[in-house]
C-alpha cells in the first residue's frame, strides 16, 4: 500500500527522513581526476559498456572505429548482424580500420591478412593456405 501523503516528499517521492540522512557529494569529487579514474575502474571497467548504436553502421559493409574506446574496437555491419570487433590484426597488431567507411572485407594494411565482416580470418597474402596454421591462429 502507499504511504500516507504527509510522509512522502512531493518533489522526490521519498520519505523525508531518508532524505535528511543523505548528503551531496563534495564538489571537488566532480573535478578530481583520481575520483574519475576510480569510478571508471569500479563502475565501468568490469561491466557492459555502450559501444554504439546499430544505426552508426546501417548497411552491410559499413564500419566505424570507436574513438571512445581508443580506436581499439570497431563496429562492423556484417551480413546478419552488427559486430563489435577488435581493431587490431592478429599477426603484427596493426590497426585495421580508421574512422568510418564501407568495405567488402577487413584487410590489414601491413601484410594483407584478410578477415570477413564477422572477424573470421579468410587468408594471408602471399602464403598458401595451411590448415594446421589456420587452426592454430583460430585458437589464439
Amino acid at each position: 500500500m502507499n504511504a500516507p501523503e504527509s510522509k512522502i516528499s512531493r518533489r522526490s517521492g521519498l520519505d523525508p527522513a531518508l532524505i535528511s540522512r543523505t548528503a551531496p557529494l563534495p564538489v571537488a569529487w566532480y573535478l578530481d581526476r583520481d575520483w574519475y579514474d576510480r569510478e571508471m575502474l569500479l563502475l565501468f571497467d568490469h561491466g557492459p559498456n555502450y559501444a554504439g548504436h546499430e544505426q552508426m553502421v546501417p548497411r552491410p559493409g559499413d564500419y566505424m572505429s570507436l574513438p571512445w574506446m581508443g580506436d581499439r574496437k570497431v563496429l562492423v555491419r556484417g551480413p546478419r548482424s552488427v559486430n563489435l570487433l577488435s581493431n587490431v590484426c592478429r599477426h603484427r597488431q596493426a590497426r585495421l580500420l580508421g574512422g568510418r567507411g564501407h568495405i567488402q572485407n577487413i584487410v590489414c594494411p601491413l601484410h594483407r591478412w584478410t578477415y570477413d565482416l564477422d572477424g573470421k580470418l579468410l587468408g594471408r597474402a602471399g602464403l598458401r593456405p595451411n590448415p594446421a596454421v589456420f587452426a592454430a591462429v583460430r585458437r589464439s
Side-chain angles (χ1 to χ4, degrees), residues 10-41:
R10 289 180 190 262
R11 185 172 185 200
S12 67
L14 298 174
D15 182 345
L18 176 65
I19 294 172
S20 69
R21 293 192 314 250
T22 64
L25 294 173
V27 173
W29 287 13
Y30 293 97
L31 308 171
D32 188 307
R33 182 65 188 201
D34 291 335
W35 276 108
Y36 172 80
D37 292 340
R38 188 175 299 130
E39 284 184 353
M40 292 303 290
L41 175 67

Side-chain angles (χ1 to χ4, degrees), residues 69-98:
M69 293 184 163
D71 289 322
R72 294 181 309 266
K73 300 285 184 182
V74 62
L75 281 180
V76 178
R77 170 73 72 165
R80 292 170 296 284
S81 64
V82 175
N83 302 301
L84 178 64
L85 302 174
S86 172
N87 196 20
V88 177
C89 181
R90 295 182 212 173
H91 179 230
R92 296 285 183 187
Q93 291 70 48
R95 189 172 89 172
L96 296 170
L97 300 168

Side-chain angles (χ1 to χ4, degrees), residues 7 21 29 34 41 44 46 53 59 63 68 80 85 87 92 114 124 133:
K7 299 219 180 196
R21 293 192 314 250
W29 287 13
D34 291 335
L41 175 67
F44 297 102
H46 299 293
H53 196 277
R59 299 176 299 134
Y63 71 88
W68 52 91
R80 292 170 296 284
L85 302 174
N87 196 20
R92 296 285 183 187
T114 303
R124 306 164 297 158
V133 171

